[in-house]
């Protein structure tokens, strides 16, 4: 959570927002998408909450969407490219490891609906990794994945920017708005996980 708080603090200083804050958002989201070491959704929402209190609200909120979406897309396609270079060796490793209902469900949805399923999969916590694995195992070429992932990354960024903006608008003090945005992200993520578990529990086992 510390990267989110630190980046939001940068956004409080209007002198550093454009020169440091937005480039840092892009880089941290890209890194977090490539190597998931911290929750990038919290990072985006915290920055959006701070942007609501800037003197150029519409522009800064739009920049959060653009920088976060571009960072997420770059991180995802880089991960896919690196995995693609591994070739058959990667499939041999991940097929036994990910041979469980979530990846099987992702592959089934890819076969039935195509690229449109990348959008909801990125909005669900943890869904992105399983969908990337499903695309790899389904033999998607890099260009097809890159094109399909672009709207998914942008809509993901827009969704968490909206959550952050709502949290930031609840309080006049920026730091309280940032905390509210982080709380909303945790609440939304927890609700999504609970819904997924209940849905999975109601689904009869295959075969």
């Amino acid at each position: 959570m510390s990267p989110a708080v630190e980046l939001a603090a940068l956004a409080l200083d209007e002198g550093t927002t454009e020169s440091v804050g937005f480039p840092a958002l892009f880089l941290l989201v890209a890194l977090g998408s490539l190597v998931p070491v911290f929750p990038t959704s919290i990072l985006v929402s915290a920055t959006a909450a701070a942007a609501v209190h800037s003197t150029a609200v519409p522009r800064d909120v739009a920049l959060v969407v653009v920088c976060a979406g571009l960072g997420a897309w770059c991180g995802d396609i880089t991960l896919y490219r690196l995995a693609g270079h591994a070739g058959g060796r990667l499939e041999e490793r991940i097929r036994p490891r990910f041979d469980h209902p979530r990846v099987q469900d992702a592959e089934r949805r890819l076969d039935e609906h195509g690229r449109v399923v990348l959008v909801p999969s990125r909005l669900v916590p943890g869904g992105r990794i399983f969908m990337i694995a499903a695309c790899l195992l389904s033999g998607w070429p890099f260009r097809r994945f890159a094109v399909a992932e672009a709207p998914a990354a942008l809509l993901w960024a827009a969704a968490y920017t909206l959550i952050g903006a709502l949290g930031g608008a609840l309080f006049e003090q920026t730091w309280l708005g940032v905390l509210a945005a982080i709380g909303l992200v945790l609440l939304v993520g927890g609700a999504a996980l609970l819904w997924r578990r209940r849905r999975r529990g109601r689904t009869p086992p295959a075969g």
Side-chain angles (χ1 to χ4, degrees), residues 1-9 28 38-39 42-44 46-47 178 182:
M1 188 177 297
S2 58
V5 176
E6 292 174 4
L7 185 58
L28 287 174
F38 54 85
I42 290 180
L43 189 68
V44 174
T47 307
V178 170
I182 293 174

Side-chain angles (χ1 to χ4, degrees), residues 13-182:
D13 185 355
E14 296 181 7
T16 62
T17 297
E18 294 186 6
S19 61
V20 178
F22 292 125
L25 176 64
F26 166 78
L27 291 174
L28 287 174
V29 171
L31 177 62
S33 298
L34 181 60
V35 183
V37 293
F38 54 85
T40 53
S41 56
I42 290 180
L43 189 68
V44 174
S45 293
T47 307
V52 168
H53 294 270
S54 70
T55 56
V57 178
R59 183 205 63 179
D60 286 353
V61 171
L63 283 173
V64 172
V65 175
V66 172
C67 292
L70 186 59
W73 182 72
C74 288
D76 287 348
I77 65 172
T78 300
L79 178 61
Y80 199 83
R81 172 67 82 181
L82 292 175
H85 282 321
R89 291 174 300 173
L90 178 70
E91 182 170 351
E92 291 176 2
R93 290 184 178 183
I94 68 177
R95 172 60 75 178
R97 183 176 181 182
F98 287 128
D99 190 18
H100 59 71
R102 289 197 64 182
V103 171
Q104 293 173 0
D105 179 63
E107 289 187 275
R108 177 183 57 79
R109 287 185 289 129
L110 275 177
D111 292 336
E112 293 178 355
H113 306 290
R115 65 181 63 185
V116 297
V117 299
L118 269 69
V119 175
S121 70
R122 216 191 191 289
L123 294 175
V124 176
R128 177 181 68 95
I129 296 297
F130 290 99
M131 187 56 68
I132 289 177
C135 290
L136 285 168
L137 295 174
S138 297
W140 276 33
F142 172 77
R143 184 174 180 178
R144 183 183 183 186
F145 176 80
V147 171
E149 184 64 17
L154 184 62
L155 289 175
W156 169 84
Y160 281 102
T161 297
L162 177 60
I163 293 173
L166 291 174
L170 292 175
F171 298 95
E172 294 184 1
Q173 295 89 349
T174 306
W175 67 274
L176 286 176
V178 170
L179 290 180
I182 293 174

